[in-house]
Amino acid sequence: MTAEWNPSSWRERPAQQQPVWPDESATDAVLKTLNGYPPLVFAGESRNLLSELGRVAQGEAFLLQAGDCAESFDAFNATSIRERLKLILQMAVVLTYSAGVPVVKVGRIAGQYAKPRSSNTELVDGVELPSFRGHIVNDPAPTASARIPDPNRLIDAYHRSASTLNLLRAFTKGGFADMNRVHAWNQEFVASSAEGARYEALAGQIDRALRFMAACGIDTTSVPRLHEVDFYTSHEALVLGYEEALTRQDSLTGDWYDCSAHMVWIGERTRGLDDAHIEFFRGIHNPIGCKVGPTATVEEVLGLCEALNPERVPGRLTLISRMGADKVRDHLPPILGAVRDAGHPVVWACDPMHGNTFTSQGGRKTRHFDAILDEIRGFFEAHAGVGTWPGGVHVELTSDDVTECLGGAERLGDSDLGLRYETICDPRLNGRQSLDLAFEVAELLRR
Ligand code: PEP
Ligand code: CO
Protein backbone atom coordinates (compact mmCIF):
# COMPACT_ATOMS: atom_id res chain seq x y z
CA MET A 1 0.00 0.00 0.00
CA THR A 2 1.20 3.48 -0.78
CA ALA A 3 1.07 5.90 2.11
CA GLU A 4 -0.60 8.63 0.03
CA TRP A 5 -4.35 8.44 0.06
CA ASN A 6 -7.05 10.67 -1.35
CA PRO A 7 -10.71 10.01 -2.22
CA SER A 8 -9.76 9.18 -5.80
CA SER A 9 -6.56 7.17 -5.21
CA TRP A 10 -8.61 3.99 -5.79
CA ARG A 11 -8.64 4.95 -9.47
CA GLU A 12 -5.03 3.75 -9.78
CA ARG A 13 -6.09 0.21 -8.84
CA PRO A 14 -8.09 -2.51 -10.58
CA ALA A 15 -11.75 -1.92 -9.66
CA GLN A 16 -13.97 -5.01 -9.76
CA GLN A 17 -17.72 -4.99 -10.38
CA GLN A 18 -17.95 -1.42 -11.66
CA PRO A 19 -20.70 -0.48 -14.11
CA VAL A 20 -19.54 0.26 -17.64
CA TRP A 21 -21.25 3.62 -18.10
CA PRO A 22 -22.02 4.27 -21.75
CA ASP A 23 -21.04 7.94 -21.71
CA GLU A 24 -18.06 8.91 -19.59
CA SER A 25 -18.60 12.66 -19.75
CA ALA A 26 -22.24 12.33 -18.67
CA THR A 27 -21.13 10.20 -15.72
CA ASP A 28 -18.43 12.70 -14.75
CA ALA A 29 -20.99 15.50 -14.81
CA VAL A 30 -23.28 13.51 -12.49
CA LEU A 31 -20.44 12.76 -10.07
CA LYS A 32 -19.50 16.43 -10.00
CA THR A 33 -23.09 17.34 -9.17
CA LEU A 34 -23.17 14.74 -6.37
CA ASN A 35 -19.93 16.09 -5.00
CA GLY A 36 -21.62 19.44 -4.54
CA TYR A 37 -24.63 18.00 -2.70
CA PRO A 38 -24.84 17.91 1.11
CA PRO A 39 -23.49 14.81 2.87
CA LEU A 40 -26.15 12.29 3.91
CA VAL A 41 -24.69 11.66 7.35
CA PHE A 42 -22.57 13.67 9.75
CA ALA A 43 -19.09 12.35 10.59
CA GLY A 44 -19.85 12.64 14.32
CA GLU A 45 -22.63 10.06 13.90
CA SER A 46 -20.18 7.65 12.30
CA ARG A 47 -17.84 8.19 15.23
CA ASN A 48 -20.69 7.34 17.63
CA LEU A 49 -21.27 4.11 15.74
CA LEU A 50 -17.54 3.41 15.83
CA SER A 51 -17.55 3.66 19.60
CA GLU A 52 -20.65 1.46 19.89
CA LEU A 53 -18.98 -1.13 17.66
CA GLY A 54 -15.90 -0.79 19.85
CA ARG A 55 -18.05 -2.15 22.68
CA VAL A 56 -19.10 -5.04 20.44
CA ALA A 57 -15.44 -5.78 19.68
CA GLN A 58 -14.79 -5.93 23.46
CA GLY A 59 -17.64 -8.41 23.92
CA GLU A 60 -19.95 -5.94 25.67
CA ALA A 61 -22.64 -5.53 23.02
CA PHE A 62 -24.14 -7.28 19.98
CA LEU A 63 -24.53 -6.04 16.40
CA LEU A 64 -27.78 -6.50 14.48
CA GLN A 65 -27.23 -5.52 10.85
CA ALA A 66 -30.27 -6.21 8.74
CA GLY A 67 -32.33 -5.10 5.79
CA ASP A 68 -32.98 -5.69 2.16
CA CYS A 69 -30.63 -7.52 -0.17
CA ALA A 70 -31.19 -4.85 -2.78
CA GLU A 71 -33.43 -1.92 -1.97
CA SER A 72 -35.82 -1.23 -4.78
CA PHE A 73 -36.66 2.17 -6.28
CA ASP A 74 -40.20 0.74 -6.62
CA ALA A 75 -40.55 0.02 -2.89
CA PHE A 76 -39.69 3.61 -2.03
CA ASN A 77 -42.56 4.64 0.23
CA ALA A 78 -43.29 5.39 3.87
CA THR A 79 -44.94 2.04 4.55
CA SER A 80 -41.99 0.03 3.27
CA ILE A 81 -39.50 2.07 5.30
CA ARG A 82 -41.64 1.99 8.46
CA GLU A 83 -42.30 -1.75 8.28
CA ARG A 84 -38.62 -2.61 7.78
CA LEU A 85 -37.69 -0.39 10.72
CA LYS A 86 -40.40 -1.96 12.90
CA LEU A 87 -39.13 -5.45 12.21
CA ILE A 88 -35.53 -4.53 13.04
CA LEU A 89 -36.69 -2.83 16.25
CA GLN A 90 -38.67 -5.94 17.16
CA MET A 91 -35.65 -8.17 16.59
CA ALA A 92 -33.47 -5.82 18.62
CA VAL A 93 -35.94 -5.85 21.51
CA VAL A 94 -36.03 -9.64 21.46
CA LEU A 95 -32.23 -9.77 21.57
CA THR A 96 -31.86 -7.08 24.22
CA TYR A 97 -34.58 -8.35 26.51
CA SER A 98 -34.00 -12.10 26.14
CA ALA A 99 -30.23 -12.07 26.07
CA GLY A 100 -29.63 -9.01 28.24
CA VAL A 101 -27.01 -7.43 25.98
CA PRO A 102 -27.11 -3.96 24.39
CA VAL A 103 -27.83 -4.23 20.67
CA VAL A 104 -26.25 -1.93 18.07
CA LYS A 105 -28.81 -1.46 15.30
CA VAL A 106 -27.58 -0.98 11.74
CA GLY A 107 -29.88 -1.18 8.71
CA ARG A 108 -29.02 -2.34 5.23
CA ILE A 109 -31.09 0.64 4.24
CA ALA A 110 -31.05 4.17 2.80
CA GLY A 111 -28.48 3.36 0.11
CA GLN A 112 -28.32 -0.43 -0.39
CA TYR A 113 -28.86 -0.06 -4.13
CA ALA A 114 -25.77 -1.63 -5.78
CA LYS A 115 -25.28 -5.36 -6.37
CA PRO A 116 -22.16 -7.32 -7.29
CA ARG A 117 -22.86 -10.14 -9.72
CA SER A 118 -20.98 -13.38 -10.37
CA SER A 119 -21.49 -12.98 -14.10
CA ASN A 120 -21.70 -10.01 -16.51
CA THR A 121 -24.73 -11.53 -18.17
CA GLU A 122 -27.75 -13.48 -16.97
CA LEU A 123 -30.33 -15.65 -18.64
CA VAL A 124 -33.89 -14.26 -18.36
CA ASP A 125 -36.54 -16.53 -19.90
CA GLY A 126 -33.95 -18.01 -22.21
CA VAL A 127 -32.59 -14.62 -23.33
CA GLU A 128 -29.05 -13.58 -22.38
CA LEU A 129 -28.99 -10.02 -21.00
CA PRO A 130 -26.44 -7.82 -19.23
CA SER A 131 -26.82 -8.53 -15.49
CA PHE A 132 -28.99 -6.35 -13.28
CA ARG A 133 -26.57 -4.48 -10.98
CA GLY A 134 -28.99 -2.79 -8.61
CA HIS A 135 -31.27 0.18 -9.10
CA ILE A 136 -28.38 2.62 -8.70
CA VAL A 137 -27.01 1.27 -12.01
CA ASN A 138 -29.70 -0.19 -14.27
CA ASP A 139 -33.27 -1.48 -14.44
CA PRO A 140 -34.15 -5.15 -13.91
CA ALA A 141 -36.74 -5.22 -16.73
CA PRO A 142 -35.81 -8.05 -19.10
CA THR A 143 -34.78 -5.97 -22.09
CA ALA A 144 -31.33 -5.04 -23.34
CA SER A 145 -32.09 -1.31 -23.20
CA ALA A 146 -33.29 -1.46 -19.57
CA ARG A 147 -29.97 -3.01 -18.61
CA ILE A 148 -27.83 -0.16 -19.98
CA PRO A 149 -26.22 1.62 -16.98
CA ASP A 150 -27.71 5.11 -16.52
CA PRO A 151 -25.65 7.58 -14.43
CA ASN A 152 -28.77 9.63 -13.59
CA ARG A 153 -29.65 6.73 -11.31
CA LEU A 154 -26.77 7.82 -9.04
CA ILE A 155 -28.58 11.11 -8.39
CA ASP A 156 -31.86 9.27 -7.95
CA ALA A 157 -30.24 6.89 -5.42
CA TYR A 158 -28.86 9.88 -3.49
CA HIS A 159 -32.30 11.53 -3.19
CA ARG A 160 -34.03 8.29 -2.24
CA SER A 161 -31.35 7.61 0.38
CA ALA A 162 -31.81 11.12 1.77
CA SER A 163 -35.60 10.75 2.07
CA THR A 164 -35.32 7.30 3.59
CA LEU A 165 -32.79 8.50 6.13
CA ASN A 166 -34.97 11.50 6.94
CA LEU A 167 -37.95 9.28 7.76
CA LEU A 168 -35.77 6.87 9.77
CA ARG A 169 -34.50 9.78 11.84
CA ALA A 170 -38.05 11.05 12.36
CA PHE A 171 -39.28 7.63 13.46
CA THR A 172 -36.39 6.78 15.74
CA LYS A 173 -36.15 10.16 17.44
CA GLY A 174 -39.76 11.32 17.21
CA GLY A 175 -41.60 8.85 19.42
CA PHE A 176 -42.23 5.90 17.10
CA ALA A 177 -39.41 3.87 18.69
CA ASP A 178 -40.61 4.61 22.24
CA MET A 179 -40.35 1.56 24.52
CA ASN A 180 -43.96 2.17 25.50
CA ARG A 181 -44.91 1.27 21.92
CA VAL A 182 -43.31 -2.20 21.73
CA HIS A 183 -46.72 -3.77 21.08
CA ALA A 184 -47.35 -1.51 18.13
CA TRP A 185 -44.31 -2.86 16.26
CA ASN A 186 -45.94 -6.28 15.90
CA GLN A 187 -47.40 -6.53 12.42
CA GLU A 188 -50.84 -8.00 11.83
CA PHE A 189 -49.78 -11.06 9.87
CA VAL A 190 -47.03 -11.77 12.38
CA ALA A 191 -49.20 -11.12 15.45
CA SER A 192 -51.47 -14.04 14.63
CA SER A 193 -48.51 -16.48 14.41
CA ALA A 194 -46.63 -18.39 17.11
CA GLU A 195 -43.62 -16.08 16.79
CA GLY A 196 -45.94 -13.10 17.04
CA ALA A 197 -47.52 -14.46 20.21
CA ARG A 198 -44.07 -15.06 21.66
CA TYR A 199 -43.20 -11.47 20.86
CA GLU A 200 -46.46 -10.20 22.43
CA ALA A 201 -45.60 -12.06 25.63
CA LEU A 202 -42.16 -10.46 25.71
CA ALA A 203 -43.66 -7.02 25.01
CA GLY A 204 -46.04 -7.60 27.94
CA GLN A 205 -43.07 -8.26 30.22
CA ILE A 206 -41.42 -5.05 29.06
CA ASP A 207 -44.65 -3.17 29.88
CA ARG A 208 -44.64 -4.63 33.35
CA ALA A 209 -40.97 -3.76 33.86
CA LEU A 210 -41.66 -0.16 32.83
CA ARG A 211 -44.67 0.05 35.17
CA PHE A 212 -42.58 -1.47 37.95
CA MET A 213 -39.89 1.18 37.49
CA ALA A 214 -42.54 3.93 37.51
CA ALA A 215 -44.12 2.47 40.65
CA CYS A 216 -40.71 2.52 42.32
CA GLY A 217 -40.60 6.24 41.68
CA ILE A 218 -38.23 6.20 38.71
CA ASP A 219 -39.30 8.92 36.30
CA THR A 220 -39.12 6.91 33.07
CA THR A 221 -40.38 9.86 31.02
CA SER A 222 -37.09 11.66 31.54
CA VAL A 223 -34.89 8.79 30.33
CA PRO A 224 -34.24 9.45 26.61
CA ARG A 225 -32.93 5.88 26.14
CA LEU A 226 -36.46 4.58 26.66
CA HIS A 227 -38.05 6.88 24.11
CA GLU A 228 -35.70 6.96 21.16
CA VAL A 229 -33.15 4.66 19.57
CA ASP A 230 -29.88 5.13 17.72
CA PHE A 231 -30.36 3.55 14.35
CA TYR A 232 -27.53 3.59 11.80
CA THR A 233 -27.45 3.10 8.03
CA SER A 234 -25.13 0.94 5.94
CA HIS A 235 -24.69 -0.48 2.46
CA GLU A 236 -22.12 -2.22 0.30
CA ALA A 237 -19.99 0.63 -1.06
CA LEU A 238 -19.66 -0.99 -4.44
CA VAL A 239 -19.90 1.82 -7.00
CA LEU A 240 -16.77 3.70 -6.09
CA GLY A 241 -17.47 6.82 -8.15
CA TYR A 242 -20.63 7.41 -6.11
CA GLU A 243 -18.87 6.79 -2.79
CA GLU A 244 -15.98 9.06 -3.75
CA ALA A 245 -18.41 11.86 -4.64
CA LEU A 246 -19.92 11.65 -1.15
CA THR A 247 -16.58 11.48 0.66
CA ARG A 248 -15.92 14.64 2.63
CA GLN A 249 -13.32 15.99 4.99
CA ASP A 250 -14.73 16.42 8.49
CA SER A 251 -14.32 20.01 9.63
CA LEU A 252 -13.85 18.96 13.26
CA THR A 253 -11.07 16.40 12.85
CA GLY A 254 -9.79 16.88 9.30
CA ASP A 255 -10.41 13.18 8.66
CA TRP A 256 -12.16 11.86 5.54
CA TYR A 257 -15.55 10.19 5.86
CA ASP A 258 -17.70 8.49 3.26
CA CYS A 259 -20.88 10.40 4.08
CA SER A 260 -23.19 8.18 2.02
CA ALA A 261 -23.91 6.08 5.16
CA HIS A 262 -22.69 5.64 8.73
CA MET A 263 -21.09 2.30 7.93
CA VAL A 264 -20.10 0.83 4.57
CA TRP A 265 -18.80 -2.61 3.71
CA ILE A 266 -16.70 -4.42 1.10
CA GLY A 267 -18.30 -7.42 -0.60
CA GLU A 268 -16.89 -10.89 -1.03
CA ARG A 269 -16.12 -10.25 -4.72
CA THR A 270 -14.25 -6.98 -4.23
CA ARG A 271 -11.95 -7.64 -1.28
CA GLY A 272 -8.77 -8.26 -3.32
CA LEU A 273 -5.91 -6.80 -1.27
CA ASP A 274 -4.40 -4.83 -4.16
CA ASP A 275 -7.72 -3.76 -5.60
CA ALA A 276 -9.54 -0.45 -5.66
CA HIS A 277 -12.06 -1.12 -2.87
CA ILE A 278 -9.38 -1.78 -0.26
CA GLU A 279 -7.57 1.35 -1.37
CA PHE A 280 -10.71 3.48 -1.02
CA PHE A 281 -11.78 2.00 2.31
CA ARG A 282 -8.41 2.29 4.01
CA GLY A 283 -8.59 6.09 3.87
CA ILE A 284 -12.12 6.73 5.10
CA HIS A 285 -12.70 6.92 8.84
CA ASN A 286 -16.16 5.35 9.01
CA PRO A 287 -16.61 2.04 10.75
CA ILE A 288 -16.32 -0.44 7.88
CA GLY A 289 -17.15 -4.06 7.17
CA CYS A 290 -15.62 -6.71 4.96
CA LYS A 291 -17.20 -10.00 3.94
CA VAL A 292 -15.13 -13.12 4.54
CA GLY A 293 -16.21 -16.13 2.49
CA PRO A 294 -15.15 -19.78 2.42
CA THR A 295 -12.19 -19.23 0.07
CA ALA A 296 -10.55 -16.67 2.38
CA THR A 297 -7.21 -17.80 3.79
CA VAL A 298 -5.79 -16.86 7.18
CA GLU A 299 -3.12 -14.78 5.41
CA GLU A 300 -5.71 -12.91 3.37
CA VAL A 301 -7.78 -12.05 6.42
CA LEU A 302 -4.73 -10.87 8.35
CA GLY A 303 -3.81 -8.81 5.28
CA LEU A 304 -7.26 -7.21 5.31
CA CYS A 305 -6.98 -6.37 9.01
CA GLU A 306 -3.54 -4.84 8.52
CA ALA A 307 -4.60 -2.82 5.45
CA LEU A 308 -7.92 -1.62 6.83
CA ASN A 309 -7.16 -1.16 10.50
CA PRO A 310 -3.38 -0.89 11.00
CA GLU A 311 -3.91 1.12 14.18
CA ARG A 312 -6.11 -1.60 15.64
CA VAL A 313 -8.98 0.67 16.58
CA PRO A 314 -11.73 -1.44 18.24
CA GLY A 315 -14.93 -1.21 16.19
CA ARG A 316 -13.26 0.17 13.08
CA LEU A 317 -13.43 -3.19 11.26
CA THR A 318 -16.29 -5.67 11.25
CA LEU A 319 -15.46 -8.98 9.60
CA ILE A 320 -18.66 -10.49 8.25
CA SER A 321 -18.23 -14.24 8.00
CA ARG A 322 -20.37 -15.89 5.27
CA MET A 323 -18.96 -19.40 5.01
CA GLY A 324 -22.04 -21.56 4.48
CA ALA A 325 -23.52 -23.89 7.09
CA ASP A 326 -21.42 -26.83 5.89
CA LYS A 327 -18.10 -24.97 6.12
CA VAL A 328 -18.31 -22.54 9.02
CA ARG A 329 -17.26 -25.05 11.71
CA ASP A 330 -14.06 -25.99 9.83
CA HIS A 331 -13.08 -22.75 8.11
CA LEU A 332 -13.80 -20.13 10.73
CA PRO A 333 -11.90 -21.25 13.88
CA PRO A 334 -8.33 -20.94 12.46
CA ILE A 335 -9.17 -17.45 11.17
CA LEU A 336 -10.67 -16.39 14.50
CA GLY A 337 -7.59 -17.58 16.34
CA ALA A 338 -5.13 -15.92 13.96
CA VAL A 339 -6.93 -12.56 14.03
CA ARG A 340 -7.06 -12.63 17.82
CA ASP A 341 -3.40 -13.65 18.12
CA ALA A 342 -2.38 -10.81 15.78
CA GLY A 343 -4.07 -8.40 18.20
CA HIS A 344 -6.80 -7.17 15.86
CA PRO A 345 -9.86 -6.02 17.84
CA VAL A 346 -12.45 -6.79 15.14
CA VAL A 347 -16.17 -7.23 15.42
CA TRP A 348 -17.11 -10.69 14.17
CA ALA A 349 -20.57 -10.85 12.56
CA CYS A 350 -22.27 -13.82 10.93
CA ASP A 351 -23.97 -13.43 7.56
CA PRO A 352 -25.81 -16.76 7.38
CA MET A 353 -27.43 -15.90 4.04
CA HIS A 354 -24.86 -15.67 1.25
CA GLY A 355 -23.08 -18.97 1.80
CA ASN A 356 -26.37 -20.89 1.73
CA THR A 357 -27.96 -19.88 -1.55
CA PHE A 358 -29.03 -22.52 -4.04
CA THR A 359 -31.45 -22.95 -6.93
CA SER A 360 -34.71 -24.68 -6.05
CA GLN A 361 -36.21 -27.44 -8.17
CA GLY A 362 -38.56 -24.84 -9.60
CA GLY A 363 -35.54 -22.76 -10.67
CA ARG A 364 -35.73 -19.99 -8.04
CA LYS A 365 -32.77 -18.73 -6.05
CA THR A 366 -33.51 -19.65 -2.44
CA ARG A 367 -32.10 -20.45 1.01
CA HIS A 368 -33.37 -22.83 3.64
CA PHE A 369 -34.19 -21.42 7.06
CA ASP A 370 -32.61 -24.50 8.69
CA ALA A 371 -29.29 -23.89 6.92
CA ILE A 372 -29.41 -20.23 7.95
CA LEU A 373 -29.90 -21.18 11.62
CA ASP A 374 -27.31 -23.91 11.33
CA GLU A 375 -24.69 -21.47 10.08
CA ILE A 376 -25.45 -19.17 13.02
CA ARG A 377 -25.09 -22.09 15.43
CA GLY A 378 -21.81 -23.08 13.78
CA PHE A 379 -20.62 -19.48 14.11
CA PHE A 380 -21.39 -19.48 17.85
CA GLU A 381 -19.69 -22.88 18.25
CA ALA A 382 -16.58 -21.66 16.44
CA HIS A 383 -16.34 -18.66 18.77
CA ALA A 384 -16.97 -20.76 21.86
CA GLY A 385 -14.15 -23.10 20.78
CA VAL A 386 -11.64 -20.31 20.21
CA GLY A 387 -12.77 -18.12 23.09
CA THR A 388 -13.79 -15.11 21.00
CA TRP A 389 -17.02 -13.07 21.05
CA PRO A 390 -19.69 -13.86 18.43
CA GLY A 391 -20.37 -10.18 17.91
CA GLY A 392 -23.39 -10.05 15.68
CA VAL A 393 -25.56 -11.18 12.82
CA HIS A 394 -26.00 -9.70 9.35
CA VAL A 395 -29.20 -10.75 7.61
CA GLU A 396 -31.28 -10.03 4.52
CA LEU A 397 -34.93 -9.56 5.37
CA THR A 398 -38.16 -7.86 4.55
CA SER A 399 -41.12 -7.27 6.82
CA ASP A 400 -43.42 -8.43 4.02
CA ASP A 401 -45.07 -11.82 4.04
CA VAL A 402 -42.94 -13.05 1.14
CA THR A 403 -42.10 -16.64 0.24
CA GLU A 404 -38.46 -16.48 -0.75
CA CYS A 405 -36.62 -18.63 1.83
CA LEU A 406 -37.71 -22.23 2.41
CA GLY A 407 -38.70 -23.63 5.81
CA GLY A 408 -39.38 -21.71 8.99
CA ALA A 409 -42.44 -22.18 11.16
CA GLU A 410 -44.68 -21.99 8.08
CA ARG A 411 -42.64 -24.82 6.54
CA LEU A 412 -42.47 -23.11 3.17
CA GLY A 413 -41.74 -25.67 0.48
CA ASP A 414 -40.53 -25.54 -3.08
CA SER A 415 -44.03 -25.14 -4.47
CA ASP A 416 -44.75 -22.18 -2.14
CA LEU A 417 -41.89 -20.07 -3.49
CA GLY A 418 -44.01 -18.82 -6.41
CA LEU A 419 -46.72 -17.40 -4.11
CA ARG A 420 -44.90 -14.18 -3.20
CA TYR A 421 -41.40 -14.18 -4.60
CA GLU A 422 -40.71 -10.45 -4.86
CA THR A 423 -37.01 -9.84 -4.30
CA ILE A 424 -35.09 -8.09 -7.06
CA CYS A 425 -31.92 -9.95 -6.06
CA ASP A 426 -31.41 -12.51 -3.25
CA PRO A 427 -34.10 -14.38 -1.27
CA ARG A 428 -34.95 -12.64 2.03
CA LEU A 429 -36.34 -13.83 5.33
CA ASN A 430 -39.96 -12.75 5.79
CA GLY A 431 -41.31 -11.09 8.95
CA ARG A 432 -42.08 -14.34 10.78
CA GLN A 433 -38.80 -16.02 9.84
CA SER A 434 -36.89 -12.92 10.96
CA LEU A 435 -38.55 -12.85 14.35
CA ASP A 436 -37.99 -16.57 14.75
CA LEU A 437 -34.31 -16.06 13.97
CA ALA A 438 -34.07 -13.30 16.59
CA PHE A 439 -35.47 -15.63 19.27
CA GLU A 440 -33.01 -18.36 18.24
CA VAL A 441 -30.05 -15.97 18.36
CA ALA A 442 -31.18 -14.66 21.75
CA GLU A 443 -31.23 -18.23 22.99
CA LEU A 444 -27.67 -18.82 21.73
CA LEU A 445 -26.49 -15.59 23.34
CA ARG A 446 -28.01 -16.50 26.67
CA ARG A 447 -26.15 -19.80 26.84
C1 PEP B 1 -24.69 -8.94 -0.05
O1 PEP B 1 -24.44 -8.75 1.16
O2 PEP B 1 -25.78 -8.62 -0.56
C2 PEP B 1 -23.69 -9.66 -0.88
C3 PEP B 1 -23.70 -9.57 -2.19
O3 PEP B 1 -22.86 -10.41 -0.15
P1 PEP B 1 -21.44 -11.07 -0.52
O4 PEP B 1 -20.56 -9.97 -0.97
O5 PEP B 1 -21.04 -11.67 0.78
O6 PEP B 1 -21.70 -12.11 -1.56
CO1 CO C 1 -27.63 -10.45 -1.03
Side-chain angles (χ1 to χ4, degrees), residues 417-446:
L417 291 182
L419 296 174
R420 265 193 84 174
Y421 193 94
E422 297 176 0
T423 182
I424 53 170
C425 194
D426 289 340
R428 305 158 298 175
L429 298 169
N430 63 30
R432 289 182 58 181
Q433 291 169 330
S434 303
L435 208 46
D436 222 350
L437 180 134
F439 279 112
E440 292 286 336
V441 173
E443 195 68 41
L444 288 166
L445 271 171
R446 214 167 21 207

Side-chain angles (χ1 to χ4, degrees), residues 65 67 69 108 291 320-325 350-358 365-369 371-373 375-376 393-398 404-405 426-430 433-434 437:
Q65 191 170 15
C69 173
R108 286 175 62 115
K291 295 290 192 88
I320 308 162
S321 156
R322 33 89 86 216
M323 299 287 171
C350 174
D351 164 359
M353 315 296 293
H354 290 89
N356 296 307
T357 317
F358 66 98
K365 216 204 263 189
T366 190
R367 295 157 173 162
H368 203 292
F369 189 66
I372 291 169
L373 283 189
E375 175 151 3
I376 296 178
V393 288
H394 179 122
V395 290
E396 290 184 341
L397 54 75
T398 170
E404 298 171 5
C405 290
D426 289 340
R428 305 158 298 175
L429 298 169
N430 63 30
Q433 291 169 330
S434 303
L437 180 134

